[in-house]
Structure formats: C-alpha cells, structure tokens
Amino acid sequence: ARRAGPPDGGWGWMIVAGCFLVTICTRAVTRCISIFFVEFQAYFGQDYARTAWIHSIVDCATMLCAPLGSLISNHVSCQVGIMLGGLLASTGLILSSFATSLEHLYLSLGVLTGLGFALCYSPAIAMVGKYFNKRKALAYGIAMSGSGIGTFILAPVVQLLIEQFSWRGALLILGGFVLNLCVCGALMRPISLKEDCKTAPELLEQNYVPETEKQDLKRMSICSPLIKLWPHECLCYCSWKEYDFLLMPGFMVLAVSILFMAYGCSPLFVYLVPYALSVGVSHHQAAFLMSILGVIDIVGNITFGWLTDRRCLKKHRYFCYLFAVGMDGLSCLFLPVLQSFPLLVPFSFTFGYFDGAYVTLIPVVTADAVGTPLLSSALGVVYFLHAIPYLVSPPVAGWLVDTTGSYTASFLLCGFSMIFSSALLCFARLAKKIKRTHLPSLTGNTALKQHIWTNGAIAYSVTAELDQRDVEFLAVDTNSFSNR
C-alpha cells in the first residue's frame, strides 16, 4: 500500500540511524585520509601537489559517481546499492594497504573506494527525505552529524593506528571498518508514497514546481504531448521527467554556487593538519584539531537542523544556508594569521560549526528547489557537481604551496571562493524579488488558462496567457458564430 505522505517517525528513525552510519563510513573516513598525507609524502618522497591527488580523486569519484548511486537506488534498490558500495569501498582500502606507488593509491584508494562511497552516500541521504517532511531539517541534521562524530572519533584513532601499525596497517583496519556500510544498507527499507506515482490528470493537478519557478512557467505558452496515459495504469513521475529540474533557473543558480562552495571547502580538510605541523603544532595536537572540527560539526548539524525547522526560520532556510557558507569562507580568510595551537582551536570551532550547518541544509535547499519526488536525482546531480572542484582544488592549493612556500594564497583562494558562492545566491534571490516588485503585470494582470483533453492514449496540456482583449475577442466571435 502506498502512504499518503512521509511518516515523520517510526522506521524513519532507523533510516536516520543508517544514514548516520553511512556518513561516518564515507565522509568521516574521507576526511581522515588527510592524516595520512604526511605519511604518504614521506614514504613516497613526492611534493604536495602530487600527494594531494589521492584525497582529490577520492572526493571526485564519490561525487562524480553520485548519479550512478541515485540510478541504482531508483531502478534497482537502495539496499543493493549501499551494500555493493560498502564492498567496493572496503576492497579499495584493503588494496591500498599494499600500495607500492602513488599511482597505485590513485586507483585503489581514489577510484575504487570513491566509487564505493558514491553508491552509498546520495541514496542514503535521499531515503531520509522520503521518510520525513515536517521534521526534515532535524532528521538531516542528526543523519549528517555522522560526518562530524566520525571525524571526532576517527582522527585520533587513525593517528594512533598509524603509530602502532604504520599507515599500511591503519588502511587495512579502516577497510574492515567500512564493511559496516553493508549493515547500513540492510536498514534502508523502501517506502512507497502516493506522490511518487501519479496518472497524467493527477500530475497536471499537482504542483511539483516550487513557488520560485511558478512565474517563469506561467509565461511559457506550450502545446505538447504530456504523457502517455494507459488505462487503469499508473506512471511514475520520476521515470519520464527524472531530470527536468536541470532547466529550472533556481536550480541552475544553486548548481553554479555549489561549484564555488565545493572548491573552497575541500582543501581545508586536506591541509589543516599539514599547516598545523608547519607552524610547530605537534602531531597529536594537529589530529586533535580535526577532532574538534568534527565534534563542532555535529553541533552545527543538529542545532542548525533544529533551528531551521522552527516556524520563524523555516521560510528562510535559503538565507541560513548562504549565511553558513559565507561564514566558512570568512573563517578561511583569517586562517593564515593563526599560527599557534591556541589560535587554531577557535578556527576549528568556527569552521566546523558552519560546515555542519550548510552540509545539513544542502538536501533541504535542494528539496525546496526541485520537490521531494525528484530529490534523489537532484541530490545525485548536486553531489556530482562537487566532483570537479574536489578533484582540482587540493592539487591547485598544493601547487600554490610549492610555488609560494606558504599556505596563505591557498587559504585566501578558498575563502574568497566560498564567499562568492554565498554572494551569488544572495544576489540571485534579491534580483528575483526586485523583478517581482517591478513587473507585477507578469504575475497579476494576466490570466493563466490551462486546458486538458485526451486523444486516445495521449493526454495533452495547453497553457496560455490571455489578456482581457483576447477574452473579449473570443466572446464576440463565439456570439457571432452562434447567431449564424
């Protein structure tokens, strides 16, 4: 039986727990790869740029293959996709423990492990959106806090494992730990919602388009076949227009801003530990900075999720997201002048909190932009957009370090990139409000007429805007025809 709406509880909390574990095994493990950075650099005798490719390829593969994870989740099973991803990620980490060159690590730790993470990450996040509506931001806050909790716990543990068993033994143990993704996959019980399956007339009555896109669509005058309507059968909305949201102006602006945001956030997780070591911080203190960043990340996940579910802020999630991104960028600008452990601790607090805040709101803002039925596909695209920045930014930052001999240029570039991402979203929203204010005729003085008819197995939709003169003309023409 199909549910009328998300249950907002029940087994949904087990889905949240499963997504929580997925984020620990994927994002937290990826962040902890930066702790291996100095070990890899010393063992293979390579520069910053070449060593940074390892972390870049992991992140890139995870995001680049995110649509593949969504595809398997939508057309096969979320459970199958996550279990398969767990096996691939574990295999990649185990093979990495036998690496004899950086190229070996590029393939095993980068491509294979990243592909496994991709099959797990976006489907698990999308499942939370299917089980929650009223408490969606809070559910995402709890689920995404796994990244922070995992970083807080794993960072010192990984450092200890490296000291006790070398980097090879640490990777081997992480490979066994990541197998827990198979357990997470078993928790992802599928759910069927009525909104996921509609007949053509029902689709025309339902408004899947967000408020921000209504006025753009009202100005379109189209006459096209909408959907084949087979008698007494239901056609899945996601199957025939699964990626229609790509042409929505609101989503396009969000996508561009994601590119700059992803470029700015990635190098920090790669170079925070090496930077701390370069200014005289000990190995354990540098790992502890990652732990602080991780635990405050949790606070940002949960508190921002809870706050943006409140009635006073629920309508302003968009601005809360861009504020969090902007604050992270501002924090990066101040990082080059923080050259001692007591000064780096407040940075970890600030950056970690707002990182957790905007990561929690990415699925929420995406859902507001495209609608819940398209959330899985949209998240796949959003995380896919992270791929190129994640691939390019750490090596570029490493090249800047090799060239300039300091981290200043790298961190400034990251900060300005994130601030630009936030400013772009802000200007886009302000431009839309100004447009609505100065062009009321496009929204209030025209009448939107929609006619639906069927012709055999085809349902047609005609949407047109008729001004008052057209209506009068039609009325006169109809009267004259009837008099004849």
Side-chain angles (χ1 to χ4, degrees):
R2 296 187 180 274
R3 292 178 176 266
D8 272 294
W11 190 258
W13 293 116
M14 293 302 295
I15 300 297
V16 170
C19 186
F20 175 85
L21 292 173
V22 167
T23 55
I24 290 178
C25 294
T26 55
R27 302 313 298 158
V29 170
T30 301
R31 288 180 178 182
C32 288
I33 290 176
S34 63
I35 298 175
F36 291 91
F37 187 93
V38 176
E39 301 294 328
F40 291 152
Q41 191 179 29
Y43 185 87
F44 295 108
Q46 299 293 338
D47 58 18
Y48 278 87
R50 283 179 58 84
T51 310
W53 279 105
I54 300 171
H55 192 282
S56 297
I57 295 173
V58 176
D59 265 338
C60 178
T62 301
M63 301 308 175
L64 190 67
C65 300
L68 178 60
S70 298
L71 184 68
I72 294 175
S73 174
N74 291 338
H75 298 284
V76 182
S77 168
C78 181
Q79 294 171 316
V80 171
I82 294 177
M83 289 181 178
L84 177 61
L87 291 174
L88 289 175
S90 177
T91 302
L93 285 165
I94 292 172
L95 290 177
S96 298
S97 66
F98 300 99
T100 56
S101 66
L102 282 182
E103 288 73 17
H104 186 159
L105 288 172
Y106 293 162
L107 293 176
S108 58
L109 186 56
V111 176
L112 191 57
T113 301
L115 175 60
F117 288 165
L119 298 184
C120 302
Y121 191 54
S122 58
I125 295 173
M127 283 294 289
V128 175
K130 288 182 176 292
Y131 272 84
F132 287 88
N133 183 26
K134 295 179 181 178
R135 291 179 283 184
K136 182 183 291 185
L138 176 60
Y140 272 126
I142 296 171
M144 305 296 280
S145 67
S147 176
I149 292 176
T151 305
F152 173 70
I153 297 173
L154 287 179
V157 169
V158 168
Q159 183 63 46
L160 184 63
L161 290 174
I162 292 173
E163 293 175 1
Q164 295 294 323
F165 305 105
S166 79
W167 63 267
R168 295 185 185 274
L171 285 175
L172 190 62
I173 293 171
L174 279 179
F177 172 74
V178 164
L179 277 175
N180 284 293
L181 286 169
C182 296
V183 179
C184 302
L187 295 174
M188 299 295 170
R189 180 189 297 172
I191 184 174
S192 297
L193 302 176
K194 287 184 179 180
E195 66 180 3
D196 293 333
C197 191
K198 298 284 186 181
T199 56
E202 291 172 328
L203 284 172
L204 295 173
E205 293 172 5
Q206 292 288 334
N207 186 9
Y208 288 105
V209 181
E211 286 292 333
T212 55
E213 312 301 334
K214 284 181 180 178
Q215 303 307 325
D216 296 319
L217 293 178
K218 284 181 181 179
R219 291 193 292 274
M220 295 175 63
S221 179
I222 58 171
C223 180
S224 61
L226 181 64
I227 184 174
K228 290 187 176 181
L229 180 63
W230 299 100
H232 311 294
E233 289 188 14
C234 209
L235 297 177
C236 180
Y237 179 71
C238 295
S239 65
W240 64 276
K241 267 196 171 180
E242 201 168 347
Y243 292 95
D244 189 50
F245 59 86
L246 291 173
L247 298 179
M248 294 180 180
F251 182 81
M252 293 171 69
V253 174
L254 178 65
V256 174
S257 73
I258 289 286
L259 292 174
F260 286 95
M261 181 273 292
Y263 182 91
C265 72
S266 182
L268 190 280
F269 293 102
V270 180
Y271 292 108
L272 179 59
V273 172
Y275 171 71
L277 295 174
S278 71
V279 295
V281 175
S282 69
H283 285 269
H284 286 285
Q285 286 178 328
F288 187 61
L289 288 173
M290 289 295 292
S291 294
I292 293 173
L293 192 150
V295 74
I296 300 303
D297 194 291
I298 307 163
V299 179
N301 286 142
I302 297 175
T303 59
F304 236 67
W306 181 83
L307 286 171
T308 52
D309 269 340
R310 302 305 93 196
R311 185 174 297 179
C312 59
L313 289 178
K314 197 165 188 176
K315 295 181 180 180
H316 305 290
R317 289 168 171 171
Y318 184 92
F319 290 102
C320 290
Y321 167 79
L322 64 89
F323 173 74
V325 174
M327 287 301 296
D328 257 2
L330 194 62
S331 300
C332 288
L333 296 183
F334 285 99
L335 185 54
V337 299
L338 308 177
Q339 299 189 358
S340 66
F341 181 72
L343 293 176
L344 287 171
V345 168
F347 167 81
S348 292
F349 271 86
T350 306
F351 188 89
Y353 181 82
F354 288 108
D355 179 74
Y358 79 74
V359 165
T360 295
L361 291 180
I362 285 176
V364 177
V365 172
T366 304
D368 290 344
V370 304
T372 301
L374 297 175
L375 179 59
S376 180
S377 299
L379 279 177
V381 173
V382 165
Y383 292 128
F384 170 83
L385 292 172
H386 286 65
I388 300 302
Y390 276 5
L391 178 67
V392 172
S393 58
V396 169
W399 176 79
L400 289 173
V401 174
D402 292 331
T403 303
T404 63
S406 74
Y407 291 85
T408 302
S410 299
F411 291 145
L412 290 179
L413 184 59
C414 292
F416 283 122
S417 180
M418 298 188 79
I419 290 173
F420 179 79
S421 172
S422 177
L424 179 65
L425 291 176
C426 184
F427 289 143
R429 180 56 61 94
L430 291 176
K432 183 160 290 187
K433 286 189 175 183
I434 293 172
K435 185 177 180 181
R436 288 178 179 176
T437 303
H438 289 81
L439 297 175
S441 60
L442 292 177
T443 60
N445 296 339
T446 57
L448 179 65
K449 302 295 181 181
Q450 187 176 70
H451 307 280
I452 306 170
W453 75 90
T454 58
N455 180 18
I458 307 276
Y460 291 92
S461 172
V462 175
T463 302
E465 293 183 359
L466 304 176
D467 58 23
Q468 190 61 35
R469 290 177 300 174
D470 293 331
V471 173
E472 292 174 357
F473 174 79
L474 288 174
V476 171
D477 188 64
T478 303
N479 291 334
S480 63
F481 180 81
S482 61
N483 291 333
R484 292 177 188 177

